[in-house]
Amino acid sequence: MDMETETKVSRLWAKFKRYTRRSIFIFLFLCFLLFVRIFLFQIYSIQGNSMYPTLEHGSVVFVWKGGFAISAKFFGTELLYTDPNINKLDLVLFVSQEEELVVKRVIGLPGEFYSIEAGRVLIDSTELLENYLPKGTYTSEPSTSIFLNRHNTPFLAMDKQGRIPPGYYLLLGDNRQYSTDSRSFGLVPVEKIKGKVIFYF
C-alpha cells in the first residue's frame, strides 16, 4: 500500500468514526427526548372552553407526568404503573371516555364525601371555596345521560352526593355551565389520569 492510498484510507476511517459518533449522539438524544415525552413531560393545547376563565381554547399547558399512569403492552401483557401526587384543585390531564385528552380540575379526592346541592359543591359537608370561578357560578347536579350509553367503562357514575371510592377522583370544569365533566361521565379512575398541569399560558 503506497503512501497516497494509506492517506485516503486513514481519512475515510476518520470520517467514518466521526459520522458514527454523531449518529450515536443523535440516537441517544432522540431516545432521551422520547423518554421525557412518554414518562415525564408533555405540552398540550386546550381544545374548547370548558375550563374558562382559567384556560381558554388554544391555551398551552405544560403537564408533569412523573408518577402518573403509564400503560404499555409487552408480549401481549399490559403493564401499569401509577403513584401520582394529586391534590385538591389541581388541574389534571386525563383520557376521557372518548379516548381524548382533557384537562379538568380536581374537586374531590378518594375517601371524601361530596355533595352538589343548590348550585354549590360541598366536600365533607363544607362548601368548597372556588375563587377561580366567576361570581354567581351555579354548579348543576350530576346527570348520567352520557353514562347510559357506556358499557364496561372504568368510570364510575355519581349521584348528587356520595363517598368517592379509593382510586377515583371527582373532576369538574371551571366553566360549569358548559363543561362535560364528572357530572356527566362519572368519577375518574386514577389510571386514566396522565399528568398534572404545572404551567399554562
Side-chain angles (χ1 to χ4, degrees):
M1 182 182 297
D2 58 36
M3 185 67 67
E4 184 178 350
T5 302
E6 187 174 345
T7 302
K8 287 183 178 180
V9 171
S10 298
R11 287 177 180 173
L12 287 174
W13 178 246
K15 185 179 293 186
F16 173 77
K17 289 195 296 184
R18 186 166 61 251
Y19 284 140
T20 300
R21 284 197 298 267
R22 288 179 181 175
S23 299
I24 292 174
F25 174 79
I26 292 172
F27 174 75
L28 292 176
F29 182 69
L30 291 176
C31 287
F32 172 75
L33 291 180
L34 184 63
F35 174 84
V36 170
R37 169 63 179 80
I38 294 175
F39 295 100
L40 297 180
F41 193 71
Q42 182 173 349
I43 299 174
Y44 175 73
S45 178
I46 298 297
Q47 305 299 312
N49 287 302
S50 69
M51 286 299 296
Y52 184 83
T54 306
L55 300 172
E56 300 179 5
H57 179 75
S59 293
V60 175
V61 298
F62 293 76
V63 179
W64 173 252
K65 302 174 69 175
F68 285 83
I70 298 293
S71 59
K73 288 188 176 182
F74 296 95
F75 306 107
T77 302
E78 185 170 12
L79 303 178
L80 176 66
Y81 166 79
T82 178
D83 184 25
N85 176 25
I86 302 176
N87 301 305
K88 194 185 304 298
L89 305 185
D90 280 346
L91 301 180
V92 295
L93 180 72
F94 71 100
V95 180
S96 70
Q97 292 199 25
E98 289 74 29
E99 297 298 318
E100 297 176 346
L101 290 174
V102 184
V103 171
K104 300 293 181 186
R105 190 180 297 275
V106 177
I107 299 298
L109 301 172
E112 293 183 330
F113 189 88
Y114 69 88
S115 177
I116 299 178
E117 54 185 57
R120 304 176 304 158
V121 177
L122 285 76
I123 299 296
D124 290 337
S125 301
T126 301
E127 183 175 359
L128 186 64
L129 296 178
E130 301 186 86
N131 298 325
Y132 44 84
L133 298 181
K135 189 174 182 180
T137 295
Y138 183 93
T139 302
S140 59
E141 297 176 356
S143 167
T144 57
S145 57
I146 294 181
F147 213 91
L148 294 176
N149 298 322
R150 303 290 176 175
H151 301 286
N152 301 320
T153 175
F155 292 76
L156 188 64
M158 61 179 288
D159 296 315
K160 289 191 296 184
Q161 61 180 28
R163 191 166 298 281
I164 303 173
Y168 283 86
Y169 292 83
L170 170 57
L171 306 182
L172 298 180
D174 289 356
N175 194 357
R176 297 290 159 81
Q177 186 177 354
Y178 300 102
S179 174
T180 301
D181 46 40
S182 284
R183 294 170 296 170
S184 299
F185 52 65
L187 302 173
V188 179
V190 66
E191 62 267 21
K192 290 293 183 179
I193 301 177
K194 300 304 180 182
K196 179 163 57 176
V197 175
I198 57 175
F199 179 74
Y200 59 85
F201 63 88

Short mmCIF file of all heavy atoms in Angstrom, two decimals, residues 111-146:
data_model
loop_
_atom_site.label_atom_id
_atom_site.label_comp_id
_atom_site.label_asym_id
_atom_site.label_seq_id
_atom_site.Cartn_x
_atom_site.Cartn_y
_atom_site.Cartn_z
N GLY A 111 -61.99 8.90 49.12
CA GLY A 111 -62.36 8.86 50.53
C GLY A 111 -63.19 10.04 50.99
O GLY A 111 -63.79 10.00 52.08
N GLU A 112 -63.25 11.12 50.20
CA GLU A 112 -64.01 12.29 50.60
C GLU A 112 -65.49 12.12 50.26
O GLU A 112 -65.85 11.42 49.31
CB GLU A 112 -63.46 13.55 49.93
CG GLU A 112 -62.08 13.94 50.41
CD GLU A 112 -61.58 15.23 49.79
OE1 GLU A 112 -61.97 15.54 48.64
OE2 GLU A 112 -60.78 15.93 50.45
N PHE A 113 -66.34 12.79 51.02
CA PHE A 113 -67.78 12.76 50.78
C PHE A 113 -68.17 14.05 50.05
O PHE A 113 -67.93 15.15 50.55
CB PHE A 113 -68.56 12.65 52.10
CG PHE A 113 -70.03 12.40 51.91
CD1 PHE A 113 -70.51 11.12 51.79
CD2 PHE A 113 -70.92 13.47 51.84
CE1 PHE A 113 -71.87 10.88 51.60
CE2 PHE A 113 -72.28 13.24 51.65
CZ PHE A 113 -72.76 11.95 51.53
N TYR A 114 -68.74 13.91 48.88
CA TYR A 114 -69.11 15.07 48.09
C TYR A 114 -70.63 15.26 48.09
O TYR A 114 -71.40 14.31 48.30
CB TYR A 114 -68.63 14.92 46.64
CG TYR A 114 -69.37 13.84 45.87
CD1 TYR A 114 -70.56 14.13 45.19
CD2 TYR A 114 -68.90 12.54 45.82
CE1 TYR A 114 -71.26 13.15 44.52
CE2 TYR A 114 -69.58 11.56 45.13
CZ TYR A 114 -70.77 11.87 44.48
OH TYR A 114 -71.46 10.89 43.81
N SER A 115 -71.04 16.48 47.85
CA SER A 115 -72.46 16.79 47.71
C SER A 115 -72.59 18.01 46.81
O SER A 115 -71.89 19.00 47.00
CB SER A 115 -73.09 17.07 49.08
OG SER A 115 -74.46 17.44 48.92
N ILE A 116 -73.46 17.92 45.82
CA ILE A 116 -73.74 19.05 44.94
C ILE A 116 -75.20 19.42 45.14
O ILE A 116 -76.10 18.67 44.77
CB ILE A 116 -73.46 18.71 43.47
CG1 ILE A 116 -71.98 18.35 43.28
CG2 ILE A 116 -73.82 19.88 42.57
CD1 ILE A 116 -71.61 17.95 41.87
N GLU A 117 -75.43 20.56 45.76
CA GLU A 117 -76.79 20.97 46.09
C GLU A 117 -76.92 22.49 46.04
O GLU A 117 -76.01 23.22 46.40
CB GLU A 117 -77.17 20.48 47.49
CG GLU A 117 -76.21 20.89 48.59
CD GLU A 117 -76.54 20.29 49.94
OE1 GLU A 117 -76.61 19.04 50.02
OE2 GLU A 117 -76.72 21.06 50.90
N ALA A 118 -78.05 22.94 45.53
CA ALA A 118 -78.35 24.37 45.43
C ALA A 118 -77.25 25.13 44.69
O ALA A 118 -76.93 26.26 45.04
CB ALA A 118 -78.59 24.96 46.81
N GLY A 119 -76.64 24.48 43.71
CA GLY A 119 -75.62 25.13 42.92
C GLY A 119 -74.26 25.21 43.57
O GLY A 119 -73.33 25.82 43.02
N ARG A 120 -74.10 24.58 44.73
CA ARG A 120 -72.84 24.62 45.45
C ARG A 120 -72.21 23.23 45.51
O ARG A 120 -72.89 22.22 45.42
CB ARG A 120 -73.04 25.13 46.88
CG ARG A 120 -73.72 26.49 46.99
CD ARG A 120 -73.96 26.84 48.46
NE ARG A 120 -74.75 25.79 49.11
CZ ARG A 120 -74.76 25.58 50.44
NH1 ARG A 120 -74.01 26.33 51.23
NH2 ARG A 120 -75.51 24.64 50.95
N VAL A 121 -70.89 23.20 45.69
CA VAL A 121 -70.15 21.95 45.86
C VAL A 121 -69.68 21.87 47.31
O VAL A 121 -69.00 22.77 47.80
CB VAL A 121 -68.93 21.86 44.92
CG1 VAL A 121 -68.16 20.58 45.17
CG2 VAL A 121 -69.38 21.94 43.47
N LEU A 122 -70.08 20.80 48.00
CA LEU A 122 -69.65 20.58 49.38
C LEU A 122 -68.76 19.34 49.42
O LEU A 122 -69.08 18.31 48.82
CB LEU A 122 -70.84 20.40 50.31
CG LEU A 122 -71.64 21.66 50.68
CD1 LEU A 122 -72.54 22.08 49.53
CD2 LEU A 122 -72.48 21.42 51.93
N ILE A 123 -67.66 19.45 50.14
CA ILE A 123 -66.76 18.33 50.35
C ILE A 123 -66.66 18.10 51.85
O ILE A 123 -66.28 18.99 52.60
CB ILE A 123 -65.35 18.59 49.77
CG1 ILE A 123 -65.44 18.82 48.25
CG2 ILE A 123 -64.41 17.43 50.08
CD1 ILE A 123 -65.91 17.63 47.45
N ASP A 124 -67.03 16.88 52.28
CA ASP A 124 -67.09 16.54 53.71
C ASP A 124 -67.91 17.59 54.48
O ASP A 124 -67.48 18.10 55.52
CB ASP A 124 -65.67 16.43 54.28
CG ASP A 124 -64.94 15.19 53.77
OD1 ASP A 124 -65.63 14.23 53.35
OD2 ASP A 124 -63.70 15.19 53.75
N SER A 125 -69.07 17.91 53.89
CA SER A 125 -70.06 18.81 54.50
C SER A 125 -69.62 20.26 54.59
O SER A 125 -70.27 21.07 55.26
CB SER A 125 -70.46 18.30 55.90
OG SER A 125 -70.99 16.99 55.82
N THR A 126 -68.52 20.62 53.95
CA THR A 126 -68.04 22.01 53.95
C THR A 126 -68.04 22.53 52.52
O THR A 126 -67.51 21.86 51.62
CB THR A 126 -66.62 22.10 54.54
OG1 THR A 126 -66.64 21.59 55.89
CG2 THR A 126 -66.15 23.56 54.55
N GLU A 127 -68.61 23.72 52.33
CA GLU A 127 -68.65 24.28 50.98
C GLU A 127 -67.23 24.55 50.47
O GLU A 127 -66.42 25.13 51.17
CB GLU A 127 -69.46 25.58 50.95
CG GLU A 127 -69.60 26.16 49.56
CD GLU A 127 -70.49 27.38 49.51
OE1 GLU A 127 -71.03 27.77 50.56
OE2 GLU A 127 -70.66 27.94 48.40
N LEU A 128 -66.98 24.11 49.26
CA LEU A 128 -65.67 24.28 48.65
C LEU A 128 -65.50 25.72 48.18
O LEU A 128 -66.34 26.25 47.46
CB LEU A 128 -65.51 23.33 47.46
CG LEU A 128 -64.14 23.28 46.79
CD1 LEU A 128 -63.07 22.77 47.74
CD2 LEU A 128 -64.21 22.40 45.54
N LEU A 129 -64.42 26.36 48.62
CA LEU A 129 -64.14 27.73 48.19
C LEU A 129 -63.50 27.69 46.81
O LEU A 129 -62.39 27.15 46.65
CB LEU A 129 -63.22 28.43 49.20
CG LEU A 129 -63.79 28.62 50.61
CD1 LEU A 129 -62.75 29.27 51.52
CD2 LEU A 129 -65.07 29.46 50.56
N GLU A 130 -64.17 28.26 45.83
CA GLU A 130 -63.69 28.21 44.46
C GLU A 130 -63.53 29.63 43.92
O GLU A 130 -64.32 30.10 43.11
CB GLU A 130 -64.65 27.40 43.60
CG GLU A 130 -64.83 25.95 44.08
CD GLU A 130 -65.66 25.12 43.14
OE1 GLU A 130 -65.07 24.56 42.18
OE2 GLU A 130 -66.87 25.04 43.34
N ASN A 131 -62.47 30.28 44.36
CA ASN A 131 -62.23 31.68 43.98
C ASN A 131 -61.91 31.85 42.50
O ASN A 131 -61.94 32.96 41.98
CB ASN A 131 -61.09 32.26 44.83
CG ASN A 131 -61.43 32.28 46.30
OD1 ASN A 131 -62.59 32.49 46.66
ND2 ASN A 131 -60.45 32.05 47.15
N TYR A 132 -61.56 30.76 41.82
CA TYR A 132 -61.23 30.81 40.41
C TYR A 132 -62.48 30.87 39.53
O TYR A 132 -62.39 31.08 38.32
CB TYR A 132 -60.39 29.57 40.02
CG TYR A 132 -60.94 28.29 40.61
CD1 TYR A 132 -61.97 27.59 39.99
CD2 TYR A 132 -60.45 27.81 41.82
CE1 TYR A 132 -62.48 26.43 40.54
CE2 TYR A 132 -60.95 26.65 42.37
CZ TYR A 132 -61.97 25.96 41.74
OH TYR A 132 -62.48 24.83 42.30
N LEU A 133 -63.67 30.68 40.11
CA LEU A 133 -64.92 30.73 39.35
C LEU A 133 -65.48 32.14 39.33
O LEU A 133 -65.35 32.89 40.31
CB LEU A 133 -65.96 29.78 39.97
CG LEU A 133 -65.63 28.30 40.00
CD1 LEU A 133 -66.79 27.52 40.63
CD2 LEU A 133 -65.35 27.77 38.60
N PRO A 134 -66.12 32.53 38.24
CA PRO A 134 -66.78 33.84 38.20
C PRO A 134 -67.86 33.93 39.27
O PRO A 134 -68.49 32.92 39.62
CB PRO A 134 -67.39 33.89 36.79
CG PRO A 134 -66.60 32.90 35.99
CD PRO A 134 -66.20 31.82 36.95
N LYS A 135 -68.07 35.10 39.80
CA LYS A 135 -69.07 35.30 40.83
C LYS A 135 -70.45 34.91 40.31
O LYS A 135 -70.84 35.25 39.20
CB LYS A 135 -69.08 36.77 41.28
CG LYS A 135 -69.95 37.02 42.51
CD LYS A 135 -69.80 38.46 42.98
CE LYS A 135 -70.64 38.70 44.23
NZ LYS A 135 -70.50 40.11 44.72
N GLY A 136 -71.19 34.16 41.13
CA GLY A 136 -72.53 33.73 40.76
C GLY A 136 -72.59 32.43 39.99
O GLY A 136 -73.65 32.02 39.52
N THR A 137 -71.43 31.73 39.86
CA THR A 137 -71.41 30.45 39.14
C THR A 137 -72.29 29.43 39.83
O THR A 137 -72.24 29.26 41.06
CB THR A 137 -69.98 29.91 39.05
OG1 THR A 137 -69.19 30.79 38.25
CG2 THR A 137 -69.95 28.53 38.41
N TYR A 138 -73.10 28.75 39.05
CA TYR A 138 -74.02 27.73 39.56
C TYR A 138 -73.55 26.36 39.07
O TYR A 138 -73.35 26.16 37.87
CB TYR A 138 -75.43 28.01 39.07
CG TYR A 138 -76.49 27.07 39.60
CD1 TYR A 138 -77.20 27.38 40.76
CD2 TYR A 138 -76.76 25.87 38.95
CE1 TYR A 138 -78.18 26.52 41.25
CE2 TYR A 138 -77.74 25.00 39.43
CZ TYR A 138 -78.44 25.33 40.58
OH TYR A 138 -79.41 24.48 41.06
N THR A 139 -73.35 25.43 40.01
CA THR A 139 -72.93 24.08 39.66
C THR A 139 -74.15 23.17 39.65
O THR A 139 -74.74 22.90 40.70
CB THR A 139 -71.88 23.55 40.65
OG1 THR A 139 -70.75 24.43 40.67
CG2 THR A 139 -71.42 22.15 40.25
N SER A 140 -74.54 22.73 38.46
CA SER A 140 -75.73 21.88 38.35
C SER A 140 -75.45 20.48 38.87
O SER A 140 -74.30 20.05 39.00
CB SER A 140 -76.19 21.81 36.89
OG SER A 140 -75.16 21.28 36.08
N GLU A 141 -76.53 19.76 39.17
CA GLU A 141 -76.41 18.41 39.71
C GLU A 141 -75.96 17.42 38.63
O GLU A 141 -76.11 17.70 37.43
CB GLU A 141 -77.75 17.98 40.30
CG GLU A 141 -78.20 18.83 41.49
CD GLU A 141 -79.57 18.44 42.00
OE1 GLU A 141 -80.19 17.54 41.38
OE2 GLU A 141 -80.01 19.01 43.00
N PRO A 142 -75.42 16.28 39.04
CA PRO A 142 -74.95 15.28 38.07
C PRO A 142 -76.08 14.74 37.21
O PRO A 142 -77.23 14.66 37.63
CB PRO A 142 -74.36 14.18 38.96
CG PRO A 142 -74.05 14.85 40.25
CD PRO A 142 -75.10 15.90 40.42
N SER A 143 -75.72 14.39 35.98
CA SER A 143 -76.64 13.74 35.05
C SER A 143 -75.92 12.55 34.43
O SER A 143 -74.75 12.65 34.07
CB SER A 143 -77.07 14.71 33.94
OG SER A 143 -77.71 14.02 32.89
N THR A 144 -76.61 11.43 34.34
CA THR A 144 -75.97 10.21 33.80
C THR A 144 -76.32 10.01 32.32
O THR A 144 -76.21 8.91 31.81
CB THR A 144 -76.41 8.97 34.60
OG1 THR A 144 -77.86 8.88 34.55
CG2 THR A 144 -75.96 9.05 36.03
N SER A 145 -76.71 11.08 31.63
CA SER A 145 -77.15 10.94 30.25
C SER A 145 -76.06 10.34 29.35
O SER A 145 -76.34 9.49 28.50
CB SER A 145 -77.58 12.30 29.69
OG SER A 145 -76.52 13.24 29.81
N ILE A 146 -74.82 10.79 29.52
CA ILE A 146 -73.72 10.23 28.73
C ILE A 146 -73.39 8.83 29.19
O ILE A 146 -73.06 7.94 28.41
CB ILE A 146 -72.48 11.14 28.83
CG1 ILE A 146 -72.77 12.49 28.18
CG2 ILE A 146 -71.27 10.49 28.19
CD1 ILE A 146 -71.61 13.46 28.21
#
